[in-house]
Amino acid sequence: DDDIAGQIVSFVRKGSLGSIVCTPLNRVVTRTREYPKIAGVKPLVDVISCPEWARSAVQQVFGKTVICSSLELCDEISQMHGLDSITLDGDKVSSRGTLTGGYQDPARFVRLQLAEQRRQAAARFEGLRPRLAEADAQALDVSERLKGLYAERQALQDGRSRQRTELAQAAEAAQEAEAQAVRHQETIGRHRERRAEIQSHIAECDAAIEAMEAEIKTKTLGELTSAENQRLQHVSEELAQLDAELEVVEERCHQLQRTFRGREQHLQDFLRKRLNELESELIRDSQVDYEEQLQRRTKAVSRLESEHGELRRSLEESKKQLGEMDMLLRSKKSEHDRFLTEDQQIQTKIAQGTGLLDEIAVKINSIVKKKNEADEKLRSLTVVSADMSRYKQMPAAQLIKELGKTNKDLGKFEHVNKKAIDQFTTFTDQLQELEQKRKEIDESRVAVEDFIKRVDEQKEQTLLQTLEQVDLHFREIFADLVRGGVGKLRMLQPEDAVDEETEGNGKTSGVRIEVSFTGQSTSFMTMSQLSGGQKTVVAIALVFAIQRLEPAPFYLFDEIDAALDTQYRTAVAKLVQRSAKNAQMVITTFRREIIEIADRFYRVYQKNRVSRIECVARDEARRVIEEQTRLEKIEG
């Protein structure tokens, strides 16, 4: 209901969670729709399964959408019935246009599968994390016991403070080990930088490969041969396999990095601390148990050397793996270059094929043109078959004599236009083309006129429906503002007048507002007959009626109660209070009624010629309003 929607909006605003629009179920007005009875068309609300209490909300959101079997049927339904339609492939057609593309099967994308495998590996790693915590707890327990034993030995060996020379040697060895560890850390840093550089190169290669794959998938490859398509498919499979191998190598690299960090942390947190403890113990050692201390130090040094060896071996392994990654990067680059070369070869073949096709088309056009000219010349000949046989039997001398005679006869007709027949044929063809174009233009004009007529009818119907809804809200709001009052909206027909002083001019004049502040049917008045305060009440009712049709999350009003008396100001304040449950209202006022229902109060004043704004309490706001009212009475 309205209270729950108000609580949701308040929670979202207090938490700065973004923007949200809530429509309470008690505000949803279910409208019965008549869907077209056409094969292949089914309303979307009949397909969606939902609880009965949410059926009205589903009808309001999806009631204007139908499912069609084809995109052409979607266009027809959208134009003829004004409904939004979608196909089973996901294409959508609405009054705003057509949106194609449809549903994309994620199984076609290898990277999505690899990402899913990576998430599964991360889940397995999270499953092994508790065992790692147990191992850390056991190590801490052993470390605590060792600390206790060393504390006991420290209590027994407080008087031993000799052998400082050996301590100095051990300190020098420790410093050398620290210097070597620092060098190793610098080497590790360089290797990390090298690894980051290699990873960036790999990412660039992957991006280039993806771009090439996207280019390969374009429609320009539709003219490739079957062999080239098979080769392209084989290359795509190799790319997918190389991407999978790259993911495995990256995962191994991340695992080595985690191992190295753990060992480095062990060196920093435990071994160095242990070394300092050994140094302090060497300071307090005596000559009596020097050999025992020496043995312990020797064991500690051997353990440190073994750990140092392990770190060195891990470093060597890291170097080896970095080398393998370098080799993999070089192989990727070679594959990339090979793909570029193959793509260039394919583009070259396509260009050559296109040029050859153009040449063949030019030759065909020229041959067809020559054939037409020869056919035209043959049609222009008027020699009958009998004359032709007679001419074939004549000797050459007689043929030459007949030809000369014929040429002499033709010389008498030199003034005649020899191209008259050709021009007549040309003009006849042009006339036929013009007649065909005129027919097409007439058909187009009829289609455009029919479309304009349908649009005008739909516009008129939509305008009438919108006016009916606004009129319903206007009647309710005006009845709330004016006790016993009645208001209504009416669209003026061509024979109506806009107001009492205007004559009808044969066209639609607009919308007329008729109100009665007494509720009597004989006392309806138009806007021109109302006073200033009454016009303000009507304007407020009309604004809120329109906004109820298309609610907004934020409203700003500037002294809407300035020209109203106490009764109307109180009614407007109640209306604003009810509307504030679903939207934010910001109102400037100098009247007390709005102050009584507001949640926050801000005072705007001027100090040192600079405008200032401060948040005040309700009592302070009342005092400012009363002071302003008192000053207005004095000035009046």
Side-chain angles (χ1 to χ4, degrees):
D1 53 7
D2 294 344
D3 296 333
I4 299 299
Q7 293 176 9
I8 294 174
V9 174
S10 177
F11 176 77
V12 171
R13 290 175 179 170
K14 289 180 180 179
S16 298
L17 302 179
S19 177
I20 186 172
V21 177
C22 296
T23 302
L25 292 177
N26 59 352
R27 297 287 184 177
V28 175
V29 179
T30 305
R31 192 172 65 181
T32 304
R33 297 183 182 273
E34 294 183 359
Y35 297 101
K37 305 297 182 179
I38 301 175
V41 178
K42 189 173 184 179
L44 183 59
V45 295
D46 294 344
V47 181
I48 298 175
S49 299
C50 66
E52 287 300 326
W53 58 268
R55 178 61 62 180
S56 59
V58 172
Q59 289 180 352
Q60 183 184 21
V61 177
F62 302 105
K64 198 179 177 182
T65 305
V66 296
I67 301 175
C68 300
S69 59
S70 64
L71 190 61
E72 292 77 8
L73 188 57
C74 288
D75 292 332
E76 181 180 353
I77 294 299
S78 178
Q79 293 179 4
M80 300 297 296
H81 301 278
L83 298 175
D84 297 339
S85 54
I86 59 175
T87 64
L88 297 177
D89 295 331
D91 299 331
K92 181 179 180 181
V93 178
S94 63
S95 58
R96 298 181 180 178
T98 303
L99 181 62
T100 59
Y103 171 73
Q104 300 293 332
D105 186 6
R108 296 185 301 170
F109 302 98
V110 181
R111 293 183 63 86
L112 295 178
Q113 298 177 359
L114 297 178
E116 181 63 25
Q117 295 176 2
R118 183 177 180 182
R119 286 195 291 271
Q120 294 177 359
R124 291 196 297 269
F125 176 73
E126 293 296 332
L128 295 175
R129 189 182 294 276
R131 297 176 59 186
L132 181 61
E134 293 178 359
D136 292 339
Q138 293 177 0
L140 290 175
D141 189 13
V142 173
S143 178
E144 291 295 332
R145 285 187 289 175
L146 286 175
K147 288 181 181 179
L149 293 175
Y150 286 130
E152 292 178 0
R153 291 184 63 84
Q154 183 66 29
L156 296 175
Q157 297 176 357
D158 288 337
R160 301 173 183 180
S161 60
R162 298 180 181 179
Q163 302 300 330
R164 295 185 181 273
T165 304
E166 290 79 5
L167 173 63
Q169 294 176 357
E172 290 176 358
Q175 290 178 358
E176 184 178 0
E178 289 181 355
Q180 191 174 5
V182 171
R183 290 195 296 273
H184 287 323
Q185 290 180 354
E186 293 175 353
T187 305
I188 291 169
R190 291 194 297 272
H191 287 309
R192 287 179 178 175
E193 294 176 354
R194 177 60 178 168
R195 183 191 62 192
E197 182 179 358
I198 291 173
Q199 289 179 351
S200 64
H201 284 303
I202 292 174
E204 292 176 356
C205 292
D206 290 338
I209 291 172
E210 291 177 358
M212 291 180 62
E213 289 177 351
E215 184 178 1
I216 290 173
K217 293 178 181 179
T218 57
K219 296 181 179 180
T220 57
L221 299 179
E223 299 176 357
L224 298 180
T225 63
S226 59
E228 291 174 343
N229 287 327
Q230 292 178 359
R231 176 59 179 167
L232 184 60
Q233 183 68 25
H234 179 65
V235 170
S236 300
E237 293 175 356
E238 289 181 356
L239 279 177
Q241 184 178 1
L242 291 175
D243 288 336
E245 293 176 359
L246 180 59
E247 291 288 339
V248 173
V249 172
E250 289 180 351
E251 182 64 23
R252 178 61 179 167
C253 182
H254 293 328
Q255 184 178 0
L256 290 175
Q257 289 178 358
R258 291 193 295 270
T259 304
F260 181 78
R261 293 195 193 96
R263 292 181 179 179
E264 185 179 7
Q265 187 70 23
H266 180 66
L267 175 63
Q268 294 292 335
D269 296 341
F270 180 76
L271 296 181
R272 291 188 182 278
K273 186 175 181 181
R274 179 60 184 153
L275 180 61
N276 294 329
E277 291 177 357
L278 291 175
E279 290 178 355
S280 63
E281 289 178 2
L282 285 174
I283 295 174
R284 292 187 296 270
D285 284 342
S286 62
Q287 184 66 31
V288 179
D289 57 349
Y290 170 71
E291 295 179 357
E292 181 182 358
Q293 294 289 338
L294 182 60
Q295 291 177 358
R296 291 202 308 273
R297 298 301 185 271
T298 303
K299 293 179 180 179
V301 170
S302 63
R303 187 173 67 255
L304 290 173
E305 288 178 352
S306 63
E307 293 181 355
H308 179 67
E310 291 179 358
L311 291 175
R312 183 184 294 276
R313 287 192 294 274
S314 65
L315 182 61
E316 293 296 332
E317 292 178 358
S318 299
K319 290 181 179 179
K320 183 178 179 181
Q321 291 181 359
L322 286 175
E324 293 177 354
M325 293 180 68
D326 288 334
M327 295 177 62
L328 180 60
L329 177 61
R330 287 193 292 271
S331 64
K332 288 283 187 181
K333 287 184 177 179
S334 63
E335 289 287 338
H336 180 253
D337 296 335
R338 183 167 59 85
F339 289 146
L340 286 177
T341 304
E342 293 179 356
D343 181 65
Q344 291 177 358
Q345 293 176 356
I346 291 172
Q347 295 294 337
T348 303
K349 290 180 180 180
I350 292 173
Q352 293 176 355
T354 304
L356 183 60
L357 287 175
D358 294 338
E359 292 177 0
I360 292 173
V362 171
K363 290 181 180 179
I364 291 173
N365 292 331
S366 62
I367 292 172
V368 170
K369 184 176 181 181
K370 292 179 179 179
K371 179 179 177 299
N372 293 331
E373 292 177 355
D375 292 339
E376 185 66 25
K377 290 180 180 179
L378 288 174
R379 286 193 298 268
S380 63
L381 294 177
T382 58
V383 179
V384 297
S385 58
D387 295 337
M388 183 62 69
S389 60
R390 184 170 61 83
Y391 290 144
K392 287 181 179 180
Q393 294 176 0
M394 287 184 181
Q398 188 175 359
L399 282 174
I400 293 173
K401 184 177 180 181
E402 290 290 335
L403 180 61
K405 183 179 178 180
T406 303
N407 290 330
K408 184 177 179 181
D409 293 336
L410 289 175
K412 300 176 180 179
F413 302 98
E414 289 181 353
H415 62 282
V416 178
N417 185 6
K418 299 178 180 179
K419 297 183 179 180
I421 298 176
D422 296 336
Q423 292 178 355
F424 175 77
T425 304
T426 302
F427 293 152
T428 303
D429 295 338
Q430 291 179 357
L431 179 60
Q432 292 177 356
E433 292 179 358
L434 293 175
E435 291 289 342
Q436 183 67 24
K437 289 182 179 180
R438 186 186 67 178
K439 182 178 179 181
E440 293 177 355
I441 292 172
D442 292 338
E443 292 176 355
S444 301
R445 180 174 57 82
V446 173
V448 170
E449 290 177 353
D450 293 340
F451 178 74
I452 293 173
K453 184 177 179 181
R454 291 197 304 270
V455 170
D456 291 338
E457 292 176 354
Q458 293 177 0
K459 179 181 68 175
E460 189 73 19
Q461 183 179 3
T462 303
L463 185 59
L464 289 174
Q465 293 176 357
T466 304
L467 180 61
E468 290 176 358
Q469 296 179 4
V470 174
D471 181 42
L472 180 61
H473 295 316
F474 178 75
R475 292 173 184 267
E476 295 176 357
I477 296 174
F478 188 79
D480 293 339
L481 293 178
V482 181
R483 182 177 301 177
V486 179
K488 60 182 179 180
L489 302 177
R490 185 168 64 88
M491 178 175 285
L492 297 179
Q493 300 301 324
E495 63 272 8
D496 297 331
V498 177
D499 50 32
E500 296 179 357
E501 291 82 8
T502 306
E503 296 292 337
N505 55 3
K507 297 182 180 179
T508 302
S509 302
V511 178
R512 172 181 289 174
I513 301 176
E514 297 179 351
V515 295
S516 173
F517 285 82
T518 61
Q520 299 178 1
S521 59
T522 58
S523 61
F524 279 98
M525 296 182 293
T526 60
M527 291 296 292
S528 61
Q529 298 172 340
L530 301 179
S531 62
Q534 290 175 338
K535 290 181 179 179
T536 302
V537 173
V538 173
I540 294 173
L542 181 60
V543 168
F544 276 93
I546 295 173
Q547 292 301 322
R548 280 192 183 180
L549 184 63
E550 294 291 339
F554 177 82
Y555 296 93
L556 177 63
F557 295 105
D558 184 16
E559 296 189 37
I560 58 174
D561 55 353
L564 303 179
D565 55 14
T566 304
Q567 176 185 355
Y568 292 142
R569 288 200 299 268
T570 304
V572 170
K574 293 181 179 179
L575 177 62
V576 170
Q577 186 178 16
R578 289 194 301 271
S579 300
K581 295 179 180 179
N582 301 322
Q584 184 179 7
M585 301 284 183
V586 179
I587 304 174
T588 61
T589 183
F590 289 100
R591 297 295 182 263
R592 185 184 183 89
E593 287 75 14
I594 299 296
I595 299 296
E596 298 299 331
I597 57 95
D599 296 328
R600 290 181 178 271
F601 310 91
Y602 294 92
R603 178 189 176 190
V604 182
Y605 63 96
Q606 197 176 52
K607 184 177 181 181
N608 297 329
R609 295 184 178 180
V610 177
S611 297
R612 299 178 182 270
I613 302 176
E614 64 177 2
C615 184
V616 299
R618 189 187 300 273
D619 295 337
E620 179 64 18
R622 289 172 180 169
R623 188 190 63 78
V624 172
I625 294 300
E626 291 174 355
E627 182 66 20
Q628 181 67 24
T629 304
R630 186 180 63 82
L631 293 175
E632 289 179 355
K633 291 180 179 180
I634 294 175
E635 292 177 357

